[in-house]
Amino acid sequence: MFVRSRSRVPPGVQFVQRSLRAVLGPILGFWLFSFVIKAYAGVQLPAIIVAIGTVLTVPSVYALRIVFHRLRTRQKARRLGAVLPPRWDGNALGNWDLLQHALQGFANGYLGEGIWDRIQELGHLHTVDVLWDTLYLTDDAAVIKTILATDFAHFEKGELFRDIAHSVLGTGVFNADGELWKFHRMMTRPYFSRDRISHFELFDVHAETAINRMKERFRGGHAVDFQDLVLRFTLDSATEFLFGTCVRTLQSDLPYAHNDPAPSKSPAEVNAAEKFSRALLGAQSILALRLRYGWSWVLPEFFKDQCEDHMRVIDAFLQPILDEAIAKNRGKVGDVQGDKEDIGDEDETLLDHLVKITDDPVVLHDETLNILFAGRDTTAATLTLVVYLLCLYPDVFKRLRAEVLEALGQTRTPDFDDVRQLKYLRAVINETLRLYPIVPFNMRVSTVDTTLPNPSDPDGPRVFIPANTAVSYSVLMLQRRKDYWGPDALYFDPDRWLDERLNTYFTVNPFIFLPFNAGPRICLGQQFAYNEISFFLIRLIQQFSHMELDLSAQPPDSLAPRAWAGAEGQKGKEKLIPRCHLTLSLQGGLWVRMTEAGQEHA
């Protein structure tokens, strides 16, 4: 039986163990100095001097290291004929004021506000030192292309990210670098190499269940949290896709709005499916919080890993499924070692495919859990934001519905060809992903001293970046730049994917649109995601002739601040607050009302 091995040493204790040498070294050096001058020079330092020296030694040595590192960085840059990027300096020690500004922007501002405020002013590539750790920030297409593609070998997720995410993602594909990442990638690539009819059949079953649950609520006069609903839809679809076993969260009670007088609002007993779903969300929320804290994430979790309880629930769900799959594969009579490039039968699940390559339970656990997180969140967030925008722009909804009904009518189930031929549907999805990329901010760490393109002077010297330096890149900021997308870049307009603007901007520079990443780590499941999103939207549009936001049902703290009204572009159009944790979502959910087709005048 498989039991996931987890460290029993609390994160804070591990941090102290790692830091002990760095702290004790300077102190022991100072004490040795005191002993030497007493033994050989007969100088006895006063106790107060020894005490003060002991206290000040560590910060003094740390300060000297920072100064030395900056001098060395300048020397290395000159040696390579490169320059250093502009730097944003605050007014407080360690740029504490900039850290507070960044956290305030994250908590209360619009997407990209805070640490990204000066990205355009400082030339689309600059540095900021936060508590003396240097961070490069960029929204430049050439720089991002270098990091993700042309110089891929010299940039990785980095030790800090792996440390932060390890208790949840383990060594899965999204938390691995180097040869281990290549191994995980090799395992999963063949399964995503072609479309499968069974995927559409899977989508249809769960989409029908989701839409029927919506109809029940709407017929009762209630609003529906569409964000919650599609998280259930994608989790049910993902678990069946991965394991052949559906967690059935769509069978659980849907939430009611805060202002709904429904008598059944009292909390029901939480079933296993709800526990699993909540554990996934809880673990992700903690990872997002850790990423904001950076290296200091261990301090709030000094004595206990906050993901531990959530992972116990997740592991309890995964364990019997993995055990059964491993036993089934081992027990096949006359079984031949699975070809790693075999794409298997049409009805084969991803786990069926993986157990033919390895029966290591830890590898299988980490890989399937990584893909489960990605498959659930990416699709659910995109569906949520598409429907949000369709409610904001009813003319777009009408035009999209006309395209769907003309091609499929109100009942025909779409197939691969239908999805490919619905051009306006794809334009709506792409425009949603352009304004709201599901992972709006990401990071890589340089593994060697190297250089980056210089956005401020493309024909001049390149920009130096030392080894072990983090680069934060923003796909959201990239995809809203006017010089890349035109003067209307901040506005929602699906037609930019159908008219002359497509060739003017995107076709000549594909790296200005990266909703699924790029380079060797590009999302293997992007076509699967497009298919699932398209399929659900088609079925939804076939069934409902009108949709609108129910702002009265939204929690009061989820409504867009009045100060945003009148701002340029999509910010000025927002009715709700988009938030970024690991992925984008709408704060407080997306409460909507819809009219069933044929019931417009009922």
Side-chain angles (χ1 to χ4, degrees):
M1 180 176 286
F2 159 63
V3 178
R4 183 71 160 90
S5 175
R6 301 192 181 279
S7 174
R8 295 185 177 181
V9 181
V13 175
Q14 296 180 48
F15 175 73
V16 169
Q17 291 171 342
R18 291 194 301 267
S19 305
L20 208 54
R21 185 173 59 180
V23 172
L24 289 180
I27 293 175
L28 292 175
F30 177 75
W31 287 351
L32 179 62
F33 170 74
S34 302
F35 173 79
V36 169
I37 62 171
K38 178 183 177 182
Y40 293 99
V43 177
Q44 174 71 53
L45 294 179
I48 186 66
I49 298 297
V50 174
I52 293 173
T54 300
V55 171
L56 295 181
T57 295
V58 173
S60 298
V61 169
Y62 190 61
L64 287 173
R65 285 176 178 170
I66 292 171
V67 172
F68 179 73
H69 175 72
R70 288 182 176 177
L71 291 173
R72 288 269 296 166
T73 297
R74 292 192 187 98
Q75 290 173 353
K76 290 178 179 179
R78 282 197 297 268
R79 219 174 291 138
L80 291 175
V83 297
L84 296 179
R87 195 170 75 190
W88 182 6
D89 288 320
N91 299 315
L93 185 67
N95 282 338
W96 179 258
D97 55 333
L98 296 186
L99 176 59
Q100 294 300 307
H101 177 71
L103 293 175
Q104 179 70 16
F106 179 86
N108 301 311
Y110 189 61
L111 294 171
E113 292 180 350
I115 198 70
W116 294 90
D117 283 355
R118 299 186 65 190
I119 190 69
Q120 183 171 351
E121 174 191 348
L122 295 177
H124 300 287
L125 174 63
H126 70 83
T127 66
V128 59
D129 290 350
V130 179
L131 301 181
W132 300 281
D133 275 347
T134 298
L135 174 67
Y136 281 50
L137 294 102
T138 188
D139 65 350
D140 182 79
V143 175
I144 296 173
K145 181 179 181 180
T146 299
I147 294 167
L148 299 183
T150 56
D151 202 13
F152 170 81
H154 294 152
F155 291 89
E156 62 179 24
K157 289 276 190 174
E159 183 179 355
L160 177 61
F161 183 89
R162 293 195 299 270
D163 187 41
I164 285 173
H166 185 266
S167 61
V168 176
L169 300 180
T171 58
V173 67
F174 297 120
N175 199 36
D177 287 309
E179 293 303 315
L180 183 59
W181 167 77
K182 291 179 182 178
F183 171 70
H184 280 287
R185 186 84 171 182
M186 172 275 299
M187 285 199 305
T188 53
R189 181 188 292 113
Y191 192 78
F192 289 101
S193 62
R194 67 183 178 96
D195 294 326
R196 294 166 181 259
I197 296 172
S198 59
H199 291 169
F200 271 43
E201 294 170 347
L202 181 152
F203 300 155
D204 197 23
V205 169
H206 298 297
E208 182 178 6
T209 302
I211 290 171
N212 286 338
R213 296 305 307 274
M214 294 174 69
K215 288 181 177 179
E216 291 171 9
R217 283 295 172 90
F218 292 143
R219 289 169 183 172
H222 307 289
V224 168
D225 180 359
F226 187 80
Q227 181 168 262
D228 173 82
L229 182 99
V230 291
L231 278 168
R232 295 165 185 258
F233 162 73
T234 55
L235 182 57
D236 286 1
S237 299
T239 50
E240 186 164 350
F241 160 72
L242 287 170
F243 312 121
T245 300
C246 173
V247 73
R248 300 190 185 282
T249 56
L250 280 168
Q251 304 301 328
S252 302
D253 289 337
L254 301 182
Y256 287 93
H258 71 96
N259 63 343
D260 196 317
S264 58
K265 284 172 63 179
S266 57
E269 182 179 350
V270 179
N271 58 30
E274 282 294 310
K275 288 179 181 178
F276 179 67
S277 178
R278 292 180 185 183
L280 289 173
L281 183 60
Q284 286 176 293
S285 298
I286 291 169
L287 288 189
L289 194 61
R290 288 177 179 179
L291 288 169
R292 293 204 297 275
Y293 278 121
W295 64 266
S296 63
W297 73 270
V298 297
L299 301 181
E301 301 185 44
F302 200 91
F303 296 107
K304 182 180 179 181
D305 186 325
Q306 297 299 317
C307 290
E308 184 178 316
D309 293 339
H310 298 303
M311 293 309 299
R312 192 176 293 115
V313 174
I314 292 169
D315 291 347
F317 173 81
L318 291 179
Q319 177 178 319
I321 295 172
L322 297 177
D323 288 342
E324 181 182 353
I326 293 171
K328 178 182 175 182
N329 188 63
R330 287 175 175 172
K332 287 181 179 178
V333 179
D335 181 40
V336 180
Q337 179 85 22
D339 185 348
K340 295 180 181 180
E341 293 298 322
D342 179 29
I343 58 176
D345 299 328
E346 176 66 38
D347 295 328
E348 181 183 64
T349 68
L350 179 59
L351 182 57
D352 292 335
H353 168 76
L354 294 177
V355 294
K356 294 191 295 186
I357 300 171
T358 179
D359 61 1
D360 185 325
V362 175
V363 172
L364 292 172
H365 172 281
D366 291 348
E367 188 64 14
T368 53
L369 184 56
N370 276 239
I371 295 175
L372 177 60
F373 274 120
R376 175 184 187 237
D377 282 10
T378 303
T379 306
T382 305
L383 282 169
T384 298
L385 290 161
V386 169
V387 168
Y388 172 56
L389 288 168
L390 292 178
C391 291
L392 289 182
Y393 299 92
D395 289 344
V396 173
F397 172 76
K398 290 176 183 176
R399 180 174 166 187
L400 179 58
R401 188 163 193 266
E403 179 186 63
V404 169
L405 294 184
E406 182 180 357
L408 295 159
Q410 287 189 296
T411 58
R412 186 160 72 80
T413 303
D415 57 25
F416 296 117
D417 290 335
D418 295 322
V419 168
R420 282 192 288 265
Q421 290 171 11
L422 293 173
K423 304 300 183 184
Y424 193 63
L425 173 64
R426 186 58 171 256
V428 169
I429 295 171
N430 278 346
E431 184 68 350
T432 302
L433 289 170
R434 186 187 70 83
L435 283 177
Y436 299 103
I438 304 310
V439 183
F441 308 100
N442 214 325
M443 187 176 292
R444 293 290 185 268
V445 176
S446 56
T447 59
V448 297
D449 294 338
T450 187
T451 60
L452 299 168
N454 188 341
S456 299
D457 185 7
D459 298 322
R462 289 170 67 87
V463 173
F464 178 73
I465 176 171
N468 303 311
T469 301
V471 186
S472 181
Y473 62 95
S474 174
V475 175
L476 179 134
M477 307 294 285
L478 166 82
Q479 294 179 175
R480 294 190 178 200
R481 280 181 57 170
K482 293 180 181 180
D483 53 338
Y484 287 153
W485 289 94
D488 60 351
L490 298 177
Y491 292 89
F492 177 71
D493 183 3
D495 277 320
R496 76 174 72 250
W497 296 94
L498 302 172
D499 60 27
E500 70 282 352
R501 287 173 293 179
L502 181 67
N503 291 327
T504 301
Y505 298 110
F506 172 69
T507 304
V508 297
N509 190 3
F511 265 82
I512 64 174
F513 183 63
L514 305 174
F516 293 98
N517 220 329
R521 292 191 87 129
I522 193 170
C523 176
L524 284 174
Q526 67 171 313
Q527 191 55 51
F528 180 90
Y530 269 122
N531 287 340
E532 186 174 15
I533 293 163
S534 300
F535 188 97
F536 189 92
L537 288 172
I538 291 168
R539 291 313 244 172
L540 185 74
I541 288 168
Q542 286 177 315
Q543 296 293 315
F544 296 100
S545 59
H546 175 76
M547 57 178 64
E548 62 185 19
L549 303 178
D550 186 346
L551 297 181
S552 66
Q554 290 285 152
D557 64 353
S558 70
L559 300 176
R562 291 181 180 178
W564 291 3
E568 184 184 10
Q570 184 59 26
K571 180 180 178 180
K573 304 288 186 181
E574 303 285 13
K575 300 298 182 184
L576 305 177
I577 299 176
R579 281 280 175 252
C580 174
H581 296 287
L582 286 179
T583 54
L584 273 183
S585 62
L586 291 174
Q587 183 171 308
L590 176 62
W591 291 88
V592 298
R593 292 181 183 270
M594 300 185 186
T595 303
E596 286 185 51
Q599 302 295 316
E600 292 85 356
H601 305 293

